[in-house]
Amino acid sequence: MLSKRLFSTSSKQMSKAAVSKLANGITIITKSSPSKQAVGLYLNSGSRSEHAYNSGISSLLGNLVNSSSVAKDALKNEGVKFYSSNQKEVTGLVTAEFPNGNAQGALNAIKNAFTNLESIVSDDAIVSIQKERSIAIAEAFENSPKDMVIEHMIGTAFQGTSLALPRYGKSESLEILQSEDLKKYLGQNLVSSNLAIVSVGDEIKHEELANFASQLNIKTGAKNPFPATSFLGSEIRLRDDTLPQAHAAISVATPGINSVSDYYTGLVAAQINGTYVGADSPFSPFVGSSLAQFLEENHLVDNFDHFQLAFSDVGLWGGYFASHNIGNYDETIHFALKNWNRFSSGTVNEAEFAKAKAELKLKLLSHPKSPVALSDALATEAFASGHVQSDAEILANIDAVTPAQLSKWAQKYLYDQDIAIGATGQIEALFDYNRVRNDMSMLRW
């Protein structure tokens, strides 16, 4: 039995992020963290607010701010380093990491960047340079097999909708973007109700950040909501025999992050099978999941990872599998999906269920070491659910998941459901869609 000391934390660590909304709609988020200091501006936009002809524009916007003279002056004069980020539903426009004692310098730098946004995107020469950088980022993302197959899995699952657009855009759309496109994008998305200002650390108090936000000259109003989306059982395969492995990501549709019970049940289900990092890991044969032990013993996998992706209104639950045993890759996928059947049949044993919940608690309570990453996570959660959970709430939600609830969840969202598949590498042995789909319901091995 795990000791309660395993999860003992100070009241400081268990403190809840403070979230409030100003009269004009700006969201203010502060999180105490004595060793981490950052403040940033976030838009509830991301690649899901783009379309086929401006895909990548939000990523380009962040790169322009980071490379601007404003960013260089902030680093030289204030010791403040700018960062940006881009996700499906959130754009980290600018996040400033700053040394202790320089909170005011960071706020001044953020305000300067905000004030000069239009001039930053108006320089066609700089835009042209940063387009090349953005294209390189998008191509590097595509060259990572795991990132690529998961991104394409999302794309085929929600094809025809903006959620299917790649997080960092496409080279063909980035190449044609101009300053006017960036100004139009800002006009549509840089509005008060679409903006969150996040502070991580102990130097900027919540009231101080709210006062800072009220001084920003920002257009009031609401942006257009994200376009509706729908899941389509489908697949996309990019066979590439130059790669030494077969790679595939497979998922089913689940509810979004606002369905708290389903979301945490999906997280527990993903943790039961968990992550396998390879036969070289000294722990995998002893404490790995039953799936990891079976696939390793039969030399069917190099590594795998299970996930519960959750957006504001929809989610995807599934796994990613990579293997050098390309001739038997059909067996890798078959036995993995057969293992998923255990959830709906209620054959997950008590020990692995308890182990998964304990591991998930440690995983979710291990806040990002980088203040910028923590700031990104706070903004993402606040936009998606309108709420930032405390550590105590996270623990309670995990504890609330029961074996019966897991079985009910799997029978509804996993058993005999359509799937989305993204695959690349030497995938000749990956069976056709219908044969893989059949493994979602067959109870025999």
Side-chain angles (χ1 to χ4, degrees):
M1 180 176 179
L2 291 172
S3 168
K4 291 183 178 179
R5 294 283 303 169
L6 184 63
F7 302 112
S8 63
T9 53
S10 68
S11 59
K12 194 77 170 179
Q13 290 172 307
M14 293 287 283
S15 63
K16 184 176 181 179
V19 182
S20 63
K21 186 166 285 192
L22 301 183
N24 63 359
I26 297 177
T27 300
I28 307 298
I29 307 169
T30 54
K31 173 75 173 179
S32 176
S33 179
S35 61
K36 304 171 183 177
Q37 307 289 337
V39 60
L41 303 180
Y42 293 85
L43 298 178
N44 189 192
S45 299
S47 60
R48 198 172 175 185
S49 291
E50 300 170 354
H51 52 72
Y53 301 104
N54 70 354
S55 179
I57 194 169
S58 50
S59 178
L60 173 60
L61 179 60
N63 291 335
L64 282 166
V65 175
N66 281 342
S67 64
S68 66
S69 59
V70 173
K72 294 173 184 176
D73 289 343
L75 183 60
K76 181 174 65 175
N77 300 329
E78 304 286 356
V80 173
K81 174 67 174 175
F82 279 7
Y83 296 89
S84 66
S85 60
N86 205 59
Q87 301 176 52
K88 291 290 187 179
E89 298 183 338
V90 180
T91 295
L93 190 60
V94 54
T95 305
E97 187 174 7
F98 60 93
N100 292 337
N102 197 25
Q104 190 57 53
L107 289 175
N108 291 339
I110 289 287
K111 185 175 183 179
N112 195 24
F114 180 85
T115 303
N116 289 282
L117 271 177
E118 185 167 351
S119 62
I120 289 173
V121 304
S122 296
D123 190 328
D124 288 321
I126 299 298
V127 170
S128 180
I129 293 172
Q130 289 308 310
K131 282 197 297 185
E132 295 303 316
R133 179 187 174 197
S134 297
I135 290 171
I137 291 172
E139 291 178 346
F141 189 77
E142 281 283 310
N143 288 329
S144 166
K146 180 179 180 180
D147 291 333
M148 189 263 271
V149 295
I150 291 178
E151 187 72 38
H152 283 259
M153 175 199 71
I154 298 171
T156 194
F158 303 112
Q159 57 186 278
T161 74
S162 61
L163 188 54
L165 294 173
R167 186 192 310 179
Y168 298 110
K170 301 174 289 186
S171 57
E172 54 265 34
S173 57
L174 282 163
E175 286 173 349
I176 63 174
L177 293 176
Q178 303 295 331
S179 293
E180 289 304 313
D181 298 306
L182 288 155
K183 292 176 185 177
K184 182 178 179 181
Y185 180 83
L186 283 173
Q188 293 172 337
N189 292 280
L190 191 59
V191 293
S192 58
S193 63
N194 197 45
L195 178 67
I197 306 181
V198 183
S199 173
V200 171
D202 286 341
E203 295 197 12
I204 302 177
K205 305 304 180 185
H206 196 80
E207 296 76 12
E208 181 183 359
L209 192 63
N211 182 60
F212 168 78
S214 66
Q215 297 173 13
L216 297 179
N217 183 21
I218 183 169
K219 182 173 65 174
T220 59
K223 79 172 186 73
N224 294 327
F226 292 129
T229 189
S230 59
F231 178 87
L232 179 66
S234 56
E235 66 175 356
I236 181 169
R237 304 186 184 209
L238 292 90
R239 180 171 172 176
D240 184 354
D241 289 346
T242 65
L243 295 177
Q245 298 170 297
H247 304 264
I250 304 174
S251 65
V252 295
T254 56
I257 198 170
N258 285 314
S259 180
V260 176
S261 177
D262 287 329
Y263 174 63
Y264 276 91
T265 304
L267 287 175
V268 171
Q271 193 63 46
I272 288 173
N273 282 336
T275 299
Y276 173 71
V277 296
D280 292 336
S281 168
F283 304 107
S284 297
F286 307 105
V287 298
S289 65
S290 61
L291 176 62
Q293 294 180 50
F294 177 86
L295 294 180
E296 180 190 58
E297 181 180 343
N298 291 280
H299 310 291
L300 290 174
V301 74
D302 297 332
N303 58 83
F304 67 69
D305 186 24
H306 284 78
F307 51 79
Q308 170 65 78
L309 306 179
F311 308 106
S312 58
D313 57 346
V314 70
L316 290 173
W317 186 96
Y320 157 79
F321 306 89
S323 178
H324 274 92
N325 191 348
I326 56 176
N328 293 310
Y329 194 61
D330 57 325
E331 300 291 340
T332 302
I333 301 303
H334 169 76
F335 286 113
L337 270 57
K338 288 296 92 188
N339 184 279
W340 293 4
N341 290 164
R342 297 188 311 135
F343 298 142
S344 54
S345 62
T347 56
V348 176
N349 65 54
E350 183 178 342
E352 60 183 332
F353 188 79
K355 173 175 172 287
K357 290 176 70 171
E359 290 173 341
L360 183 60
K361 289 176 181 180
L362 291 175
K363 180 179 180 180
L364 296 185
L365 296 185
S366 299
H367 296 301
K369 294 181 180 180
S370 161
V372 174
L374 178 54
S375 181
D376 289 352
L378 291 170
T380 301
E381 184 178 357
F383 280 138
S385 64
H387 174 67
V388 177
Q389 292 190 336
S390 68
D391 292 349
E393 288 175 303
I394 292 172
L395 290 174
N397 284 324
I398 296 173
D399 286 335
V401 180
T402 65
Q405 185 174 321
L406 172 63
S407 181
K408 183 178 180 180
W409 172 89
Q411 290 167 10
K412 183 175 182 180
Y413 300 114
L414 191 58
Y415 180 74
D416 198 21
Q417 296 300 309
D418 286 339
I419 55 177
I421 304 174
T424 192
Q426 299 190 55
I427 51 175
E428 183 177 5
L430 180 63
F431 282 155
D432 66 81
Y433 178 87
N434 287 327
R435 291 184 68 179
V436 177
R437 167 65 175 83
N438 285 342
D439 279 333
M440 297 300 291
S441 58
M442 290 168 58
L443 293 178
R444 60 181 174 81
W445 287 74

